Amino acid sequence: MEIIDPKIVPQTCEGGCSDRKSHHSDKLKSNMVTRLNRIEGQIRGIKGMIEKDTYCDDVITQISATQAALNSVAKILLEGHMKSCVVERIQEGDDEVVDELLVTIQKLMKK
């Protein structure tokens, strides 16, 4: 598992998380946007491979790499969410956030 730099993972939700908006540092946002831009390029590459009748196994390999990259972004988001919004809501006495988190983790594990 990738080690996340704690300086780029938000530790608190500025203004609270109950408004259901994320509060990521500029560095974290930049990191995620860079990763998503790369993933977008990978998707375009896969499309091009299919259009060029590239060997199926090679296309599948690229799809697998793209899925891994998306999972990496999801892990970063999940870590930040747990360290900020979830902790804050529990501290405020909102235990329902645990059920919400479990549903989110189940969604991630389906993949």
Side-chain angles (χ1 to χ4, degrees):
M1 180 168 163
E2 177 180 4
I3 303 297
I4 308 300
D5 183 349
K7 292 179 281 229
I8 65 172
V9 175
Q11 299 302 313
T12 61
C13 285
E14 301 160 8
C17 293
S18 59
D19 60 354
R20 299 194 57 95
K21 289 189 176 192
S22 60
H23 302 278
H24 305 294
S25 70
D26 289 341
K27 187 173 181 179
L28 179 62
K29 276 193 233 182
S30 176
N31 179 354
M32 288 191 293
V33 167
T34 298
R35 289 169 182 262
L36 291 168
N37 286 338
R38 245 184 268 132
I39 292 165
E40 187 177 22
Q42 286 177 295
I43 296 292
R44 282 192 304 271
I46 292 167
K47 180 181 173 191
M49 292 172 80
I50 290 171
E51 290 171 343
K52 294 176 187 170
D53 295 321
T54 302
Y55 184 63
C56 296
D57 191 58
D58 295 336
V59 177
I60 292 167
T61 298
Q62 289 305 310
I63 290 171
S64 178
T66 303
Q67 288 172 327
L70 275 172
N71 285 338
S72 178
V73 172
K75 287 177 196 174
I76 292 168
L77 283 169
L78 181 61
E79 180 178 344
H81 180 58
M82 290 174 70
K83 287 183 175 181
S84 59
C85 296
V86 172
V87 168
E88 184 174 299
R89 286 177 59 187
I90 288 171
Q91 289 171 342
E92 293 171 353
D94 181 1
D95 293 336
E96 289 180 17
V97 70
V98 175
D99 292 330
E100 178 186 288
L101 179 62
L102 289 172
V103 169
T104 299
I105 291 170
Q106 288 172 350
K107 288 176 187 175
L108 287 173
M109 292 179 75
K110 283 183 184 178
K111 295 171 174 41

